[in-house]
Amino acid sequence: MGVSDNAKGLILAVASSAFIGSSFILKKKGLSRAGIAGTRAGAGGFTYLLEPLWWAGMITMIVGEIANCMAYVYAPAVLVTPLGALSIIISAILAHFMLNERLQRMGVVGCVSCIVGSVVIVLHAPQERTPSSVEEVWNLATQPAFLMYVVVTVAAVLTLVLHFEPRSGQTNMLVYLGICSLMGSITVVSIKAIGIAIKLTIDGINQITYPQTWFFLMVAGICVITQLIYLNKALDTFNATLISPVYYVMFTTLTIVASAIMYKDWAGQDAASIASEICGFITVLSGTIILHSTRDQEPHPSSRGTVTWYVRSDSLKNLDEEHLLNILENGPQ
């Protein structure tokens, strides 16, 4: 008995999460080293391109993304995308040991919630229905509902880049992650189209000669480059244990919406299965929120006779970027 397409997609998605979760940590350490030697990525520098550890993280991420792309060919986005929660667990654990970003007890609860939610989604995921040609994919991409989604997405990205990034990009991680997530949703549907074209070509139905295939490739390339630029800025500016879950929630939600609109992933499923998938997805989101809320908040001791106030932005990367105000008590002797 052969392995089903959904099973192949599941195996590839799990492998992808392992590579991508590790890449966050490698790239984070590479960015930290590069920031010491030159201009930080968050400040517009590109010194990290000379850092071997960053490239190790990049290669690991590329391998993970390739596995992820292949997973989308064999399984629907509603199955593959939520399994990205496994990368959060891996990055949180590695950050605990390698970056000294503490994973507290409730963080373990968050990890368990992500796993439970992922299992529920896997058990109720719809079977993949592969289009017979890239032209069929093009027809799905040019339907009015998806075109409206693309217009709204591009408008939102331009607004974030031109208006919000100069004003609050260094203090609000949702600016960088919003750009990455919005572009990421377009990346996924484009890469899925490319993967389908490659799969059909390997099966003897040549899709390389169709201009639609190259159009999807161009769109995916633009989106991936944009994602990398702004993800590097986010990693260099904010805490890795904070970035991973928030990015996952935003990216996963937008990707499932985009794929459901374009590929109609839930067509033909009964209400019970759809409800189970939604519940599993909410469970995964709850786990990521728990991980977010249990980020490192270790108190810093203050000396006797001193009142120490920390006025801090929750999204700042480290103590050097906090504002510390010491008010010495001058009471009676």
Side-chain angles (χ1 to χ4, degrees):
M1 184 176 180
V3 179
S4 67
D5 283 350
N6 271 22
K8 294 177 183 177
L10 173 62
I11 294 171
L12 288 167
V14 172
S16 169
S17 294
F19 283 109
I20 292 175
S22 302
S23 73
F24 269 104
I25 307 305
L26 292 173
K27 290 175 67 178
K28 176 75 172 181
K29 290 184 71 68
L31 288 168
S32 297
R33 291 184 180 181
I36 296 174
T39 305
R40 291 171 42 205
F46 293 93
T47 312
Y48 60 85
L49 293 175
L50 302 176
E51 176 56 50
L53 197 56
W54 183 87
W55 280 108
M58 177 58 66
I59 293 172
T60 304
M61 175 171 279
I62 290 172
V63 173
E65 291 295 351
I66 291 174
N68 196 45
C69 292
M70 296 306 299
Y72 281 110
V73 174
Y74 290 102
V78 70
L79 168 62
V80 176
T81 309
L83 290 179
L86 299 178
S87 68
I88 299 175
I89 297 173
I90 292 170
S91 64
I93 293 173
L94 292 178
H96 176 83
F97 291 104
M98 298 178 66
L99 300 179
N100 295 321
E101 297 176 0
R102 294 181 58 197
L103 178 63
Q104 301 180 8
R105 291 180 180 178
M106 286 301 295
V108 177
V109 175
C111 291
V112 173
S113 297
C114 290
I115 294 173
V116 171
S118 297
V119 171
V120 172
I121 292 172
V122 169
L123 293 177
H124 296 88
Q127 290 296 319
E128 174 71 345
R129 294 178 297 277
T130 304
S132 59
S133 70
V134 73
E135 289 183 320
E136 184 178 343
V137 178
W138 179 258
N139 291 333
L140 294 173
T142 54
Q143 59 185 316
F146 186 71
L147 289 177
M148 179 61 68
Y149 176 83
V150 172
V151 170
V152 172
T153 297
V154 172
V157 169
L158 290 176
T159 301
L160 288 171
V161 171
L162 299 177
H163 179 76
F164 288 101
E165 184 191 359
R167 293 168 173 78
S168 55
Q170 292 291 311
T171 57
N172 189 340
M173 68 178 177
L174 295 180
V175 175
Y176 291 147
L177 297 186
I179 297 170
C180 291
S181 301
L182 289 165
M183 297 299 284
S185 66
I186 303 298
T187 301
V188 168
V189 295
S190 299
I191 287 180
K192 184 177 178 69
I194 296 167
I196 290 171
I198 293 174
K199 181 182 178 183
L200 291 172
T201 300
I202 293 174
D203 292 339
I205 306 174
N206 187 12
Q207 303 293 307
I208 304 301
T209 58
Y210 288 97
Q212 292 93 331
T213 301
W214 298 100
F215 177 81
F216 285 126
L217 184 62
M218 180 186 68
V219 171
I222 294 173
C223 292
V224 167
I225 292 173
T226 304
Q227 280 181 266
L228 288 176
I229 291 173
Y230 285 96
L231 184 57
N232 281 330
K233 289 186 177 184
L235 283 170
D236 192 49
T237 307
F238 305 102
N239 192 304
T241 55
L242 187 59
I243 293 171
S244 296
V246 176
Y247 180 40
Y248 167 78
V249 171
M250 297 175 67
F251 171 76
T252 301
T253 302
L254 290 170
T255 297
I256 289 178
V257 170
S259 182
I261 294 173
M262 179 172 169
Y263 291 103
K264 307 184 187 306
D265 291 332
W266 284 332
Q269 276 201 298
D270 56 36
S273 295
I274 295 175
S276 297
E277 292 166 33
I278 293 175
C279 289
F281 181 51
I282 292 174
T283 303
V284 172
L285 293 187
S286 299
T288 61
I289 292 172
I290 292 173
L291 281 171
H292 166 45
S293 64
T294 57
R295 65 187 181 277
D296 189 359
Q297 293 183 336
E298 183 178 3
H300 300 275
S302 57
S303 59
R304 182 180 179 85
T306 301
V307 178
T308 304
W309 290 355
Y310 289 96
V311 183
R312 62 182 298 178
S313 171
D314 287 342
S315 60
L316 289 179
K317 179 173 71 171
N318 53 43
L319 187 60
D320 292 336
E321 294 173 339
E322 295 173 359
H323 303 289
L324 175 62
L325 175 62
N326 290 324
I327 300 180
L328 300 178
E329 289 182 348
N330 296 315
Q333 300 296 326

